[in-house]
Amino acid sequence: MDLKELEYEDRKYVENVVIEAMGIRSRPTQIQRIGILTQDRASKERYRPLKVSLESVEVKSQFLRNLTRLKGQFIKITEDLTKQERILVREWRDKANTKN
């Protein structure tokens, strides 16, 4: 498969399997693979993660609230955070763990 075909397959997968299954009417504004496709990754069938950009914060919130609709599928979805935000979340989690 060439690059255009792979991008089309990614878009079709995200729109049909993920977005429609969650009941969201808007379409992603951008879908891109993270990392470099190497021959080694392709031969071992190791997949690179997808970064999906949505139109607004409201759509993203709705998407994250509806994650339970994907239960049973082998899909891991996390919010894209900056390095500073990840540090802050880790500090809050550590504080909560010490209080418990």
Side-chain angles (χ1 to χ4, degrees), residues 7-67:
E7 289 175 0
Y8 174 76
E9 291 295 321
D10 289 344
R11 179 164 286 281
K12 189 170 79 170
Y13 175 77
V14 169
E15 288 181 353
N16 294 335
V17 175
V18 179
I19 302 294
E20 286 184 15
M22 297 181 78
I24 295 175
R25 296 186 190 273
S26 68
R27 295 289 167 226
T29 56
Q30 183 181 11
I31 299 172
Q32 71 183 62
R33 287 277 174 186
I34 298 174
I36 299 170
L37 178 62
T38 62
Q39 189 64 31
D40 186 43
R41 275 189 172 153
S43 66
K44 292 181 182 178
E45 294 186 8
R46 293 185 61 201
Y47 299 102
R48 297 176 299 149
L50 280 170
K51 179 180 178 184
V52 178
S53 300
L54 301 170
E55 354 180 292
S56 66
V57 176
E58 291 81 22
V59 173
K60 179 180 119 180
S61 297
Q62 179 187 7
F63 183 86
L64 292 174
R65 278 194 308 267
N66 292 340
L67 285 177

Side-chain angles (χ1 to χ4, degrees), residues 60-90:
K60 179 180 119 180
S61 297
Q62 179 187 7
F63 183 86
L64 292 174
R65 278 194 308 267
N66 292 340
L67 285 177
T68 56
R69 293 184 181 187
L70 296 176
K71 198 168 192 155
Q73 295 185 21
F74 185 70
I75 299 174
K76 181 179 178 183
I77 297 176
T78 59
E79 190 172 7
D80 188 25
L81 302 174
T82 65
K83 188 170 186 166
Q84 190 64 30
E85 289 170 330
R86 288 193 303 267
I87 291 170
L88 188 60
V89 167
R90 188 178 308 123

